[in-house]
Amino acid sequence: MSNVLQFSSKTDRLRESMNQKVAKMEELYQTIDLAVTELLAAEKEADEVEKDFNKQLRIYADTVGEENVEVGFLEYSPEIEVFLDNEGMPDIRFTTDPEQLELFPEDK
């Protein structure tokens, strides 16, 4: 009796390659799912921090005067619009009215 070596067929090699790719795709999809979950959590936290920052920025601008607000603070507020006044001096304007926002609070 002799031992016959069985060579893997093309079908077997393709099946094995596809099984490896399926395993890799599952790993990648899990990584993507985790990344999306983290991204959504970070976006939610950033939105909350931004809302608080905007409220504080309004109080700060009222306290020190809008013309004295540091430029670095303006970079982080989408509610600020910078424009030139009649004398060509930069001035800031809040694009939303806080009293109007209180009519329909989002927390309810």
Side-chain angles (χ1 to χ4, degrees), residues 67 82-92:
E67 67 279 0
V82 179
F83 65 97
L84 298 178
D85 64 15
N86 293 337
E87 299 170 0
M89 297 299 294
D91 200 2
I92 64 172

Side-chain angles (χ1 to χ4, degrees), residues 2-58:
S2 67
N3 290 338
V4 177
L5 290 176
Q6 183 73 30
F7 292 102
S8 62
S9 69
K10 183 176 182 179
T11 305
D12 292 338
R13 289 190 306 270
L14 285 171
R15 183 179 297 114
E16 180 59 30
S17 177
M18 289 188 305
N19 283 329
Q20 290 173 356
K21 285 179 178 40
V22 164
K24 183 63 176 177
M25 286 188 292
E26 284 297 321
E27 178 184 321
L28 291 169
Y29 294 157
Q30 288 177 1
T31 300
I32 290 169
D33 287 344
L34 289 173
V36 168
T37 300
E38 288 293 319
L39 175 63
L40 292 174
E43 285 178 337
K44 182 179 180 183
E45 183 178 357
D47 187 51
E48 292 170 6
V49 171
E50 185 178 90
K51 284 178 185 177
D52 190 44
F53 178 82
N54 287 326
K55 288 177 187 175
Q56 289 180 350
L57 183 60
R58 283 181 184 273

